[in-house]
């Protein structure tokens, strides 16, 4: 009698199955649709604030009039401190804690998938959906900005004007940088998600951590700690709107987020490796 051999499903099939599982959930569709409203509301608000051609306020908002390509960058920076980390935390909470709450994680841990491979699949789903969320905000913001403010070029904070193609390049760079920051937060959320069966605990703990980090970044007495806080790099990302493009702060912030990704996924892997069935 031949021995039974457990055969693992191809990795590509597992990744597609994970994405289908995420995208078919009604709250995912509702959440993505809600994210589309953020740049639309921001654009309409700025349009009324400028009366179509006046100043809108400090920073990026001050150069929005006549420069619709600035709107997606402005909206992403507006959503980065709280909204996008919350989105990443929600998908991370559903990935492990949500499965545990519904009793399906036990079956996944007993299946011949491998725990590290399971974590990789869940992390891929969270990373992909985070990229989708950030890209969706940027694309809707770009369309809204061009419609409301025009989009012949992009006026930078340095006073120069980039061509339409170069402006699209800056938007793509912003999408990439913001996504990496969201991945850093989501990785920590994955570590928390591996330790609990309650998704709300994951979301609350993650957002509390983001808020605490932001508060710690306000104290000058803690200057030694600021380089290690993921939130400290978010203000420096405004450099994507300068010409020529300074890369020091952008690179440093990306490295910090990368460290958080490694730490978060390592902690999640350690927890899953020792998690009982």
């Amino acid at each position: 009698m031949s021995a039974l051999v457990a055969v693992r499903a191809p990795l590509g099939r597992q990744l597609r199955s994970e994405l289908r599982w995420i995208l078919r959930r009604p709250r995912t569709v509702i959440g993505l649709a809600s994210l589309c409203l953020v740049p639309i509301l921001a654009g309409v608000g700025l349009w009324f604030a400028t009366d179509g051609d006046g100043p809108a306020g400090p920073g990026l908002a001050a150069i929005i009039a006549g420069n619709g390509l600035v709107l997606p960058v402005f909206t992403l920076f507006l959503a980065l401190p709280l909204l996008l980390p919350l989105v990443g935390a929600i998908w991370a909470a559903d990935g492990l804690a949500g499965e545990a709450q519904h009793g399906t994680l036990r079956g996944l841990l007993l299946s011949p998938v491998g725990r590290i491979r399971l974590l990789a699949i869940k992390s891929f789903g969270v990373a992909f959906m985070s990229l989708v969320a950030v890209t969706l905000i940027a694309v809707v913001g770009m369309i809204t900005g061009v419609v409301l403010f025009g989009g012949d070029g992009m006026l930078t904070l340095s006073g120069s004007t980039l061509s339409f193609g170069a402006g699209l390049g800056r938007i793509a760079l912003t999408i990439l940088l913001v996504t990496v920051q969201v991945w850093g937060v989501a990785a920590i959320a994955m570590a928390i998600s591996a330790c609990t069966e309650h998704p709300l605990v994951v979301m609350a703990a993650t957002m509390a951590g983001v808020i605490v980090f932001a508060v710690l970044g306000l104290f000058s007495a803690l200057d030694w700690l600021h380089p290690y806080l993921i939130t400290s790099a978010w203000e420096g990302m405004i450099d994507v709107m300068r010409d020529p493009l300074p890369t020091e702060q952008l690179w440093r912030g990306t490295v910090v987020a990368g460290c958080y990704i490694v730490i978060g996924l390592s902690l999640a892997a350690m927890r899953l490796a020792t998690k009982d069935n």
Side-chain angles (χ1 to χ4, degrees):
M1 182 181 295
S2 60
L4 294 177
V5 179
V7 180
R8 292 184 177 181
L11 180 60
R13 183 189 302 173
Q14 292 177 331
L15 295 177
R16 290 193 298 271
S17 176
E18 178 69 15
L19 292 181
R20 285 196 300 268
W21 178 76
I22 297 175
L23 292 172
R24 287 178 178 177
R25 289 180 300 187
R27 61 177 173 270
T28 298
V29 178
I30 295 174
L32 292 176
S34 300
L35 290 177
C36 292
L37 296 177
V38 176
I40 296 175
L41 294 176
V44 172
L46 288 172
W47 188 83
F48 279 109
T50 60
D51 291 329
D53 56 4
L60 288 177
I63 60 175
I64 192 69
N67 297 279
L69 293 182
V70 176
L71 182 61
V73 179
F74 174 76
T75 306
L76 286 177
F77 289 161
L78 189 67
L80 181 58
L82 287 177
L83 180 59
L84 287 175
L86 177 60
V87 169
I90 289 174
W91 280 314
D94 283 340
L96 294 177
E99 295 271 18
Q101 185 181 53
H102 291 90
T104 55
L105 184 61
R106 183 182 299 271
L108 292 175
L109 293 177
L110 292 173
S111 64
V113 174
R115 301 190 177 197
I116 302 303
R117 187 172 186 174
L118 173 63
L119 176 62
I121 293 171
K122 293 296 182 180
S123 301
F124 170 79
V126 174
F128 180 83
M129 293 308 301
S130 299
L131 176 61
V132 169
V134 174
T135 303
L136 190 62
I137 291 177
V139 171
V140 175
M142 182 175 62
I143 296 174
T144 303
V146 170
V147 171
L148 295 179
F149 303 102
D152 294 334
M154 176 183 284
L155 180 63
T156 67
L157 294 176
S158 303
S160 60
T161 301
L162 302 176
S163 65
F164 183 82
L168 292 181
R170 294 297 179 95
I171 294 174
L173 177 61
T174 306
I175 292 174
L176 178 61
L177 294 173
V178 171
T179 300
V180 173
Q181 299 299 319
V182 177
W183 285 349
V185 176
I188 300 300
M190 287 290 290
I192 302 173
S193 185
C195 300
T196 181
E197 298 181 356
H198 305 285
L200 288 178
V201 172
V202 180
M203 291 181 281
T206 303
M207 296 312 299
V210 171
I211 294 173
V212 169
F213 276 26
V215 172
L216 292 177
L218 299 176
F219 294 98
S220 57
L222 298 176
D223 287 344
W224 59 272
L225 182 62
H226 293 172
Y228 305 101
L229 303 177
I230 189 172
T231 54
S232 297
W234 294 350
E235 292 184 2
M237 292 177 62
I238 195 67
D239 284 346
V240 298
M241 287 299 300
R242 304 189 191 278
D243 185 37
L245 179 67
T247 59
E248 181 179 357
Q249 291 193 70
L250 300 179
W251 171 249
R252 185 185 300 117
T254 303
V255 171
V256 171
C259 292
Y260 276 82
I261 294 173
V262 173
I263 293 172
L265 294 183
S266 298
L267 293 175
M270 291 173 57
R271 174 55 182 161
L272 280 183
T274 58
K275 195 179 184 70
D276 58 13
N277 293 333

